[in-house]
Amino acid sequence: MLLLVIVLLVIILLSRVIEQSIKFPKTLSIIIFAFSISFLFPNLFLISHEEFDEILYLMLPMILLPDILNISLKELKEHAKEIFYLAFIAVILSISIATLITPYILVDIQFTTGMLIALFSMLMATDAITVASVMSKFKLPERLKIYAESESLFNDVTALIIFYFIALPLITGGEVTVLSINITLFKVVLLSLIIGIVVSIVGYLFMKILKDPLDQFIIIYLVVIISFLLAEHFHISGILSIVTSVISFKLLVQNESSHKQIPKDLKIDQNSMLELIKKIPAITKREFREYKKEAVFIGIFANAIVFIIIANIIDFESLSLYYKEVLTIFAITTIIRYSAIFSMVKIFKLPTRWLQTLTLAGSKGALAIIMSHSLPDSFIYKDMFIAIVIGNVLLSTLIYTVLLMLHININKKAYEKDILIFNAKESNTDKYVKSLVNIIEKDIDTGAYNKPFIEEIFQHELARSQRYKTNLSVLSFKIIKHNQENTQLQQIGKIIVDTTRTNDYFGKTAEAQYIILASDTSLSGSMILAQKLLSKIDELQDVELIFGLTQANDTDTLESIYEKLEDALERAFSPDGEKVEIEV
């Protein structure tokens, strides 16, 4: 066990080094290292299929949690039609088409309809781990990333329902009718939602009692794991329960007012106990953001464990025996996925280049392998199906990911234009609301956003930067000296507004201290901006400014960025007379 931990940590560190050096996705690095070790040292870690299933059931909630925590409910609502198409309609159509055409391609094998539905329902579930890892490494339109990441979470539910409640009964000789399918679908979805909501509420109430950060972090994981285990115990959708529990928990946190006060004269009795519980805040938004960051670290470790054990259950002899079937099914699923995405691109009038990205975001994962292990031992083609599934997991992860990276790099400039176009469309939607907010929330003298409003924007921009791996630079400046005239403050504010871009934000954080949020801007770019501002403001008489700069990283919070800016401003301020205007 100690050796396994050492190997895992080394693999994670090496993959992180490669990711930081050449932007090669850490998931792909972990897979390559895991399979290399398995191939070179086949007896290093021995694991059975049953142990694989148990470990994966344990790791799955930990892997999915950070991805679901980063889902924006607003984005889900805005793009519900596209996500529904990808996660539900496209899956059903793809399985149906593949089931119809495969007998004419693999003519030597006598497949029944139930067998083919089982095979393709396993292969239609895309892997959230790989998709999120790859998509986060590139600058792509937010809408495109939402499509890929949401599909990878929600199409698992559709595939699981079809596999367990339609395909397996057909294989084992059970009766499946349209009515039974509808009843089963309704029961599975309803019960999964109920379990997720109930468990999240119970966990939320416990967080009102236990205030220690470690206790609360454990509660979050218990909510996810218990909802998953309960759903699996009742043979419904564990993944849907996980998604529901986390989203419900997020809603409870977001809707709770952080400034609730407990009345001093409230007496603790049976009648007031419920009121007291309601008034105790469970968790602040700041604490919730910290837990999201910690969940990412645990998810990386769990991710490495999954790929290590996948590498150690592969039977290369079986893969070589069924290589024709593996390659044929891989070709069929790829062509069908391309066709399904092509229809979506045309229906929703999306850029044509998105067709390649969404098609190649269809990597298969460990969930497909677990489904293949659920096939009955009496099933005549079980070994073949396991080989086909594992082969397709390997091929899709490696080939799709490499092609996706090449496609994005080749079309880098086109995707940068897409980012500008779609950001402009989304900003125009709220243009009228923003104009009202500008009147209410801006400083009279400089036109800067007031502190509460700029910090709300700051939180949103920081979360967006960390989720989509985009640059976010923050400039803080302090007015050391001016002639005490409001007109001069107005001139400074006008220079800031005229020099910055429309997607930058200018705010006031303290008396005579301001910040500028420069989205999609590197540290060198913010340095150029600061120099431009200084050169223009130097033209004003009796004005002296100092600048502090920093760039947000994956682990930053608002507080840590403020600390770095304060340190930079302290270094920039030189009371001994030496003029230092900009510090990083």
Side-chain angles (χ1 to χ4, degrees):
M1 182 59 70
L2 182 60
L3 181 60
L4 174 62
V5 173
I6 292 172
V7 172
L8 281 171
L9 293 176
V10 170
I11 287 176
I12 291 171
L13 284 175
L14 288 175
S15 65
R16 294 284 290 177
V17 168
I18 294 172
E19 184 180 56
Q20 295 295 328
S21 303
I22 59 173
K23 289 191 175 182
F24 192 74
K26 61 180 174 292
T27 299
L28 198 56
S29 299
I30 289 171
I31 293 170
I32 293 171
F33 284 130
F35 285 104
S36 300
I37 292 171
S38 175
F39 183 77
L40 295 173
F41 307 101
N43 296 321
L44 187 60
F45 306 116
L46 296 176
I47 186 170
S48 66
H49 287 180
E50 291 75 17
E51 290 171 329
F52 168 82
D53 293 348
E54 291 177 4
I55 295 173
L56 184 59
Y57 273 118
L58 176 64
M59 295 296 108
L60 195 60
M62 299 182 186
I63 292 167
L64 293 178
L65 178 60
D67 293 325
I68 304 171
L69 283 174
N70 284 314
I71 288 178
S72 167
L73 301 180
K74 180 183 176 183
E75 291 169 347
L76 287 178
K77 290 179 183 178
E78 288 177 354
H79 309 297
K81 292 179 182 178
E82 297 95 318
I83 294 169
F84 179 76
Y85 173 84
L86 287 170
F88 185 72
I89 295 175
V91 174
I92 293 175
L93 288 175
S94 298
I95 293 173
S96 301
I97 294 169
T99 301
L100 289 172
I101 67 173
T102 302
Y104 299 100
I105 299 172
L106 295 174
V107 293
D108 296 333
I109 307 172
Q110 299 300 314
F111 288 125
T112 65
T113 300
M115 293 176 187
L116 291 172
I117 292 175
L119 177 61
F120 288 106
S121 59
M122 291 186 283
L123 296 175
M124 293 304 164
T126 53
D127 182 40
I129 308 164
T130 307
V131 171
S133 176
V134 175
M135 300 297 279
S136 65
K137 294 299 142 215
F138 299 98
K139 290 182 68 174
L140 294 169
E142 290 189 26
R143 185 185 296 188
L144 178 56
K145 291 188 176 185
I146 292 164
Y147 292 162
E149 293 174 5
S150 300
E151 179 204 10
S152 66
L153 285 173
F154 291 106
N155 71 358
D156 290 347
V157 178
T158 307
L160 282 167
I161 290 172
I162 293 173
F163 178 78
Y164 284 108
F165 299 104
I166 298 176
L168 286 187
L170 286 173
I171 289 176
T172 56
E175 184 178 354
V176 178
T177 63
V178 175
L179 179 61
S180 66
I181 291 173
N182 289 330
I183 293 173
T184 299
L185 180 63
F186 177 78
K187 181 186 75 172
V188 168
V189 173
L190 181 63
L191 290 179
S192 299
L193 292 174
I194 290 173
I195 287 174
I197 292 170
V198 170
V199 174
S200 67
I201 292 173
V202 173
Y204 186 73
L205 293 176
F206 269 99
M207 291 191 81
K208 286 177 173 284
I209 301 169
L210 298 172
K211 293 298 181 181
D212 186 88
L214 177 60
D215 295 335
Q216 293 189 333
F217 192 58
I218 292 172
I219 289 171
I220 292 174
Y221 269 97
L222 282 175
V223 166
V224 176
I225 293 170
I226 290 173
S227 61
F228 178 75
L229 292 177
L230 281 175
E232 291 296 317
H233 174 73
F234 291 108
H235 303 292
I236 51 180
S237 177
I239 292 179
L240 181 56
S241 289
I242 290 176
V243 174
T244 304
S245 65
V246 177
I247 290 177
S248 300
F249 195 86
K250 284 178 65 175
L251 283 172
L252 289 169
V253 171
Q254 291 172 1
N255 291 335
E256 183 180 57
S257 174
S258 59
H259 59 268
K260 286 182 179 177
Q261 299 292 330
I262 303 172
K264 295 181 180 179
D265 58 346
L266 183 65
K267 296 179 180 180
I268 308 299
D269 54 37
Q270 280 186 326
N271 295 328
S272 62
M273 183 60 72
L274 182 60
E275 183 180 353
L276 176 62
I277 291 174
K278 287 181 179 179
K279 290 183 178 294
I280 298 175
I283 183 175
T284 65
K285 289 183 179 180
R286 176 186 171 186
E287 291 169 334
F288 195 62
R289 288 194 300 272
E290 289 295 315
Y291 296 149
K292 286 166 65 175
K293 183 172 67 175
E294 292 161 1
V296 170
F297 298 147
I298 294 177
I300 292 171
F301 190 77
N303 191 9
I305 292 175
V306 167
F307 286 116
I308 281 282
I309 61 175
I310 287 177
N312 282 276
I313 66 164
I314 291 177
D315 185 351
F316 288 100
E317 290 184 6
S318 181
L319 287 177
S320 62
L321 179 63
Y322 298 111
Y323 78 93
K324 291 181 180 178
E325 289 80 4
V326 170
L327 294 174
T328 301
I329 298 300
F330 178 71
I332 291 172
T333 53
T334 301
I335 293 169
I336 290 176
R337 178 171 178 81
Y338 184 89
S339 303
I341 301 298
F342 178 82
S343 300
M344 174 187 168
V345 167
K346 291 300 180 183
I347 292 170
F348 295 103
K349 299 178 180 178
L350 302 173
T352 307
R353 69 187 69 88
W354 291 22
L355 170 59
Q356 284 77 25
T357 301
L358 290 172
T359 300
L360 297 171
S363 301
K364 323 306 180 210
L367 186 63
I369 299 175
I370 247 197
M371 291 163 69
S372 69
H373 293 167
S374 301
L375 292 166
D377 293 333
S378 58
F379 179 48
I380 188 173
Y381 295 128
K382 183 171 182 177
D383 290 340
M384 179 197 293
F385 275 32
I386 291 176
I388 290 173
V389 168
I390 291 176
N392 274 262
V393 168
L394 294 177
L395 289 173
S396 63
T397 302
L398 296 172
I399 295 176
Y400 283 5
T401 304
V402 171
L403 291 177
L404 180 58
M405 292 169 61
L406 289 172
H407 167 73
I408 293 173
N409 282 317
I410 292 170
N411 295 276
K412 185 177 180 180
K413 291 184 178 179
Y415 280 117
E416 288 176 355
K417 289 181 181 179
D418 288 345
I419 292 172
L420 295 175
I421 292 170
F422 283 94
N423 283 351
K425 287 180 180 178
E426 290 169 4
S427 62
N428 287 338
T429 305
D430 298 327
K431 191 173 182 181
Y432 179 71
V433 176
K434 280 187 175 181
S435 65
L436 293 177
V437 171
N438 288 343
I439 297 171
I440 299 170
E441 299 288 352
K442 285 193 172 181
D443 178 55
I444 297 174
D445 295 327
T446 61
Y449 287 120
N450 292 325
K451 186 175 181 180
F453 191 64
I454 192 63
E455 288 195 340
E456 283 294 322
I457 298 173
F458 201 165
Q459 289 173 357
H460 172 77
E461 288 298 306
L462 180 60
R464 187 178 73 87
S465 170
Q466 291 172 342
R467 178 179 180 185
Y468 297 108
K469 307 300 178 186
T470 57
N471 290 325
L472 175 64
S473 293
V474 187
L475 301 81
S476 180
F477 68 90
K478 187 179 288 186
I479 303 175
I480 303 300
K481 185 177 81 171
H482 70 97
N483 62 11
Q484 304 299 321
E485 293 181 4
N486 290 342
T487 55
Q488 197 168 55
L489 289 176
Q490 291 171 2
Q491 289 175 321
I492 293 172
K494 187 176 187 306
I495 290 172
I496 301 293
V497 172
D498 291 344
T499 308
T500 54
R501 303 165 303 172
T502 55
N503 59 331
D504 295 333
Y505 296 93
F506 170 41
K508 183 176 182 179
T509 56
E511 187 63 32
Q513 189 164 331
Y514 303 83
I515 62 170
I516 299 170
L517 306 179
S519 57
D520 298 315
T521 303
S522 64
L523 194 59
S524 60
S526 63
M527 178 70 76
I528 294 170
L529 173 61
Q531 290 169 343
K532 285 182 180 178
L533 292 172
L534 277 172
S535 65
K536 292 181 179 180
I537 292 173
D538 280 345
E539 297 175 4
L540 302 177
Q541 293 182 349
D542 299 324
V543 177
E544 186 176 339
L545 269 68
I546 54 172
F547 271 88
L549 314 179
T550 189
Q551 183 172 342
N553 58 44
D554 288 345
T555 59
D556 267 329
T557 62
L558 258 63
E559 291 73 21
S560 66
I561 292 177
Y562 276 136
E563 288 174 4
K564 289 191 285 186
L565 290 172
E566 284 298 323
D567 290 342
L569 287 173
E570 286 180 10
R571 293 194 300 272
F573 181 68
S574 182
D576 59 0
E578 182 182 351
K579 192 173 183 182
V580 181
E581 295 178 323
I582 304 174
E583 273 291 347
V584 180

